[in-house]
Amino acid sequence: YTTLVRSTVETRPWGGFEILSDNKSFKTKKITVDPGAQLSYQSHEKRDEHGVIISGEAEVILDDKVHHRKAGEHIHIPARSKHRIRNAGAKPLVFVEVQTGSYFGEDDIVRYEDDYNRI
């Protein structure tokens, strides 16, 4: 059972995202990160995240270890893992994120570091 989403696009200081699907068992977003920008260093209690890079170059910090990903590659971020994604290239970074777990609200974000003072 999937809830249809009326193209929900949200702008953030680092870029933005579009919600592609949102239902009880998963949520899917298309995320764009501007060159040189990064998301906050964060964790989630109630969800895992699976990211597939569509275009650009990603630097993923996962529990203080650096991983590099490019188009066609993926990364799994388990619940409660500290993580951050940074655009390591000169072009926009685009990836699709699939969230699985028991809750997908934006209030399930614990921020440890943030370039935009949202801690």
Side-chain angles (χ1 to χ4, degrees), residues 18-34:
E18 177 182 3
I19 298 173
L20 304 175
S21 181
D22 189 1
N23 62 64
K24 289 182 184 180
S25 59
F26 73 94
K27 184 174 192 174
T28 307
K29 294 179 178 179
K30 176 183 169 191
I31 300 174
T32 302
V33 183
D34 296 331

Side-chain angles (χ1 to χ4, degrees), residues 7-19:
S7 189
T8 304
V9 177
E10 295 195 26
T11 301
R12 295 289 189 262
W14 43 260
F17 63 85
E18 177 182 3
I19 298 173

Side-chain angles (χ1 to χ4, degrees), residues 43-49 76-82 100:
S43 66
H44 312 283
E45 283 297 312
K46 300 177 181 177
R47 67 176 182 246
D48 287 8
E49 295 176 332
H76 171 235
I77 300 168
R80 295 174 294 285
S81 296
K82 291 182 179 180
T100 57

Side-chain angles (χ1 to χ4, degrees), residues 24-93:
K24 289 182 184 180
S25 59
F26 73 94
K27 184 174 192 174
T28 307
K29 294 179 178 179
K30 176 183 169 191
I31 300 174
T32 302
V33 183
D34 296 331
Q38 62 184 356
L39 283 66
S40 60
Y41 194 44
Q42 60 186 259
S43 66
H44 312 283
E45 283 297 312
K46 300 177 181 177
R47 67 176 182 246
D48 287 8
E49 295 176 332
H50 309 267
V52 178
I53 307 303
I54 304 304
S55 62
E57 301 171 41
E59 180 181 277
V60 182
I61 314 270
L62 180 57
D63 289 325
D64 298 321
K65 186 175 178 186
V66 178
H67 305 267
H68 295 276
R69 296 293 186 268
K70 59 185 179 189
E73 297 181 336
H74 68 278
I75 186 110
H76 171 235
I77 300 168
R80 295 174 294 285
S81 296
K82 291 182 179 180
H83 62 282
R84 150 179 271 163
I85 297 178
R86 182 175 83 80
N87 183 338
K91 297 180 180 178
L93 166 64

